[in-house]
Amino acid sequence: MDKKIALQGILYDEKSSFLRGTAKAPPQIRAAYHSSSANYFAENGLEADPSVFEDKGDFKPTDYFEIERITASNLEGKQQIISLGGDHSVTYPVLKAIHSVYGQVEILHIDAHGDLYDSFDGDPHSHACPFARIMEDELASRLVQIGIRTLNTHQREQAAKYGVEITEMKDFDLHRLPLFTSPVYLSVDIDALDPAFAPGVSHQEPGGLSTRDLLHIIQAVQVPILGADIVEYNPDRDSNKRTAMVCAKIFREILSAMISNRS
């Protein structure tokens, strides 16, 4: 893989519950990434500057499944891709496009929520449902979730049904992270972080990961990362663009991991 990493912004929050606003996130994450208050270097010393990716721009889908077509176009064959959301519903159509190129992948999903509902508020494509659809369609051979702290009975049943490997936040241990031996897709929901670190989310769930915990998880991935997303940042709920800067930091570390782990 010697192509540049593709970057796309998905201006979409039509599947959100409780609050809208995540469609505004991609431009804010880009602005934080380019902020002169920081630099482009990742913590491993790699300069994750704009030369390492091809920015395809932001896209406002006219319908939900257009996200798959947009992603397929931006993949341009076997190319790594990072998507900036948007609500978490975007992960399902993005994965459909990834699957069309790579086949089944393993997924590392970092989130406060399992997003495994069969249907939520009558919508099987709600942002609370993407991983049920992904596993139902057999787009992934393995789903590993870290940071979960909102499981109800239905989602526990769904996790058992699909064989999801869950590290709930109450059991989280940095020294016992899951290992991967095959290429992965990385999905980062910013509400995985405790609201003290990232207040700019629609669903603030206390008791979460620190920013350092999240960076450590990303840095511990030693296999190729075929694609990734950063979702559920809501600028309307942010404080002094603090969460935007966290997203930009995560973006740099994902870029670095994508480059460093290429096979």
Side-chain angles (χ1 to χ4, degrees):
M1 281 183 203
D2 55 0
K3 291 184 178 180
K4 287 187 177 183
I5 296 162
L7 172 67
Q8 63 179 12
I10 306 296
L11 309 175
Y12 189 84
D13 59 10
E14 297 297 315
K15 300 294 186 180
S16 295
S17 61
F18 184 56
L19 293 174
R20 298 280 178 89
T22 58
K24 303 174 185 178
Q28 297 298 321
I29 297 173
R30 277 192 187 78
Y33 165 74
H34 291 298
S35 172
S36 59
S37 70
N39 62 40
Y40 294 126
F41 280 83
E43 293 187 354
N44 66 356
L46 189 152
E47 188 173 13
D49 68 11
S51 70
V52 305
F53 62 87
E54 182 179 355
D55 194 339
K56 304 287 189 175
D58 291 335
F59 300 85
K60 188 171 184 178
T62 55
D63 68 82
Y64 178 58
F65 286 102
E66 187 184 359
I67 297 169
E68 180 183 355
R69 297 190 291 274
I70 291 167
T71 305
S73 175
N74 290 333
L75 271 167
E76 294 181 346
K78 290 198 171 183
Q79 186 170 10
Q80 295 161 293
I81 190 166
I82 300 178
S83 304
L84 304 178
D87 68 45
H88 218 151
S89 72
V90 306
T91 301
Y92 172 53
V94 167
L95 249 294
K96 285 172 71 69
I98 292 279
H99 181 267
S100 69
V101 174
Y102 293 105
Q104 281 192 328
V105 298
E106 297 190 1
I107 298 175
L108 173 56
H109 169 208
I110 305 168
D111 202 331
H113 312 92
D115 292 348
L116 286 164
Y117 283 94
D118 184 57
S119 180
F120 193 81
D121 289 340
D123 184 359
H125 297 117
S126 162
H127 72 154
C129 304
F131 292 94
R133 300 289 79 76
I134 287 165
M135 299 309 286
E136 179 180 75
D137 287 0
E138 299 183 346
L139 304 181
S141 58
R142 182 187 183 200
L143 173 57
V144 176
Q145 298 183 327
I146 298 178
I148 311 301
R149 51 194 187 275
T150 57
L151 288 177
N152 59 15
T153 300
H154 172 66
Q155 292 209 79
R156 288 186 189 279
E157 291 171 348
Q158 289 283 90
K161 175 181 177 180
Y162 294 118
V164 184
E165 302 168 42
I166 299 179
T167 299
E168 293 186 57
M169 195 61 225
K170 64 183 178 62
D171 303 318
F172 178 70
D173 183 346
L174 275 175
H175 302 291
R176 298 173 57 194
L177 294 176
L179 297 176
F180 293 89
T181 57
S182 300
V184 300
Y185 181 90
L186 173 61
S187 184
V188 180
D189 186 321
I190 293 300
D191 67 30
L193 297 173
D194 191 277
F197 299 94
V201 296
S202 299
H203 299 264
Q204 296 172 335
E205 185 64 36
L209 298 163
S210 70
T211 305
R212 175 48 54 192
D213 291 336
L214 177 51
L215 294 173
H216 187 94
I217 295 167
I218 294 168
Q219 291 163 352
V221 176
Q222 299 297 312
V223 298
I225 300 173
L226 303 176
D229 60 55
I230 301 171
V231 296
E232 294 290 351
Y233 166 47
N234 188 340
D236 292 343
R237 301 266 280 175
D238 206 1
S239 171
N240 296 321
K241 302 189 184 300
R242 182 168 48 175
T243 311
M245 292 303 292
V246 171
C247 291
K249 174 80 170 180
I250 293 165
F251 174 60
R252 288 196 300 273
E253 291 301 317
I254 293 175
L255 279 172
S256 173
M258 281 183 155
I259 294 167
S260 301
N261 297 353
R262 281 175 171 167
S263 55

